[in-house]
Amino acid sequence: MASEKMGELTCVDFWANGYGMRVRIALQEMQIGFSYIEEDFRNQETSKLVLDMNPVYQFTPILLHHGRPICLSKNILEYIDEVWGGQAGRASLLPSDPLKRAHQRFWGDYVDQKIFDTQTRFLKSKGDDKVAIKKELINHFKRLEDVLGDSTFFGGDEFGFLDVVIIPYSSMFHGYEQHGGFDFKEECPKLMCWVERCRGRDSVQTVLPDDEEMYDLHKKWYGIE
């Protein structure tokens, strides 16, 4: 489904980019064929392709559809849903009810505005700061666990938009545990059951990287000993 050449639909991304994982999971989940171009951001040089296609943020993911760029992961998810959702027997990522769509977008924004920043500060933290920021990070996920409730997925019975937005973070749960010395299953048991359900899907299995490899990469990025 994915290859190292430009096609009608191309995803430009870095394998460890959680935002880009969202796009790749959505494309796999909806069985939309695409080519793939890897941008290795461990190198300091940004490629001409990224500079040309996303000159504002100069980062991936970028979805190229007939050569035209769509940028920012949640924006890309909505584009995918609008173009391909409900066609050829495919399910939609977002629900049809406007209130439910607004709910999923709200919590999607919560994830982007709260969790990534807290994750970064947590992985950089040491000593007393680590204890405080660890609590903050866990509380963010506890809040999401409350949103999930007893549902199978964040949209109810069907895997959808908010699941796609959140599940890439699970590739760092092992790293959180190693860095902070806690057990996610004890802190957020319902959320971890949801993770197992999501990871049982082919689309998620295909995209999510190895947990140890992700943590090793972040240890180098953040200088974790």
Side-chain angles (χ1 to χ4, degrees):
M1 182 173 288
S3 62
E4 295 286 340
K5 63 180 182 179
M6 194 82 74
E8 175 184 323
L9 188 68
T10 300
C11 179
V12 183
D13 197 19
F14 173 50
W15 67 268
N17 179 11
Y19 293 113
M21 291 178 207
R22 295 170 173 176
V23 175
R24 288 176 278 137
I25 288 170
L27 292 170
Q28 298 278 8
E29 180 70 25
M30 298 180 75
Q31 298 184 344
I32 301 167
F34 67 100
S35 58
Y36 177 72
I37 296 175
E38 173 77 5
E39 288 286 335
D40 192 342
F41 282 100
R42 287 171 293 190
N43 300 324
Q44 295 301 308
E45 211 169 302
T46 305
S47 75
K48 185 176 184 304
L49 176 63
V50 173
L51 292 174
D52 287 346
M53 294 299 174
N54 190 1
V56 175
Y57 293 104
Q58 300 180 10
F59 206 71
T60 64
I62 304 167
L63 187 68
L64 301 175
H65 191 198
H66 297 295
R68 296 171 297 183
I70 305 97
C71 303
L72 299 180
S73 65
K74 295 202 306 298
N75 184 46
I76 296 172
L77 294 183
E78 295 206 33
Y79 181 83
I80 290 170
D81 201 44
E82 289 174 3
V83 174
W84 290 281
Q87 294 186 13
R90 297 184 179 100
S92 295
L93 292 174
L94 281 160
S96 58
D97 179 79
L99 185 59
K100 291 180 179 178
R101 285 203 304 273
H103 174 84
Q104 296 227 346
R105 287 171 175 144
F106 175 88
W107 287 108
D109 285 344
Y110 174 87
V111 170
D112 283 359
Q113 292 177 23
K114 297 289 187 179
I115 293 181
F116 182 79
D117 173 69
T118 307
Q119 170 186 277
T120 301
R121 289 187 292 112
F122 171 62
L123 292 173
K124 290 180 176 180
S125 66
K126 297 178 181 179
D128 292 341
D129 285 343
K130 184 192 292 188
V131 175
I133 301 172
K134 176 179 72 174
K135 183 177 180 181
E136 181 183 339
L137 182 67
I138 291 171
N139 284 340
H140 286 324
F141 284 105
K142 283 182 179 291
R143 174 162 282 177
L144 291 176
E145 187 175 59
D146 289 341
V147 174
L148 175 67
D150 294 321
S151 298
T152 305
F153 297 108
F154 278 92
D157 294 331
E158 302 296 329
F159 181 83
F161 177 83
L162 194 51
D163 304 289
V164 175
V165 167
I166 299 170
I167 193 59
Y169 280 96
S170 72
S171 65
M172 277 304 299
F173 285 1
H174 170 72
Y176 298 164
E177 292 174 331
Q178 294 301 304
H179 187 61
F182 67 97
D183 187 340
F184 235 114
K185 286 185 178 179
E186 292 181 2
E187 299 290 348
C188 300
K190 288 184 179 180
L191 192 69
M192 291 305 292
C193 288
W194 165 82
V195 168
E196 291 303 313
R197 287 193 291 273
C198 291
R199 288 191 171 208
R201 304 183 76 83
D202 290 342
S203 60
V204 178
Q205 287 181 18
T206 301
V207 172
L208 287 192
D210 178 77
D211 293 348
E212 288 281 2
E213 194 173 4
M214 277 289 282
Y215 186 46
D216 285 345
L217 179 66
H218 282 75
K219 283 194 289 187
K220 294 175 184 175
W221 275 349
Y222 298 124
I224 299 170
E225 297 178 355

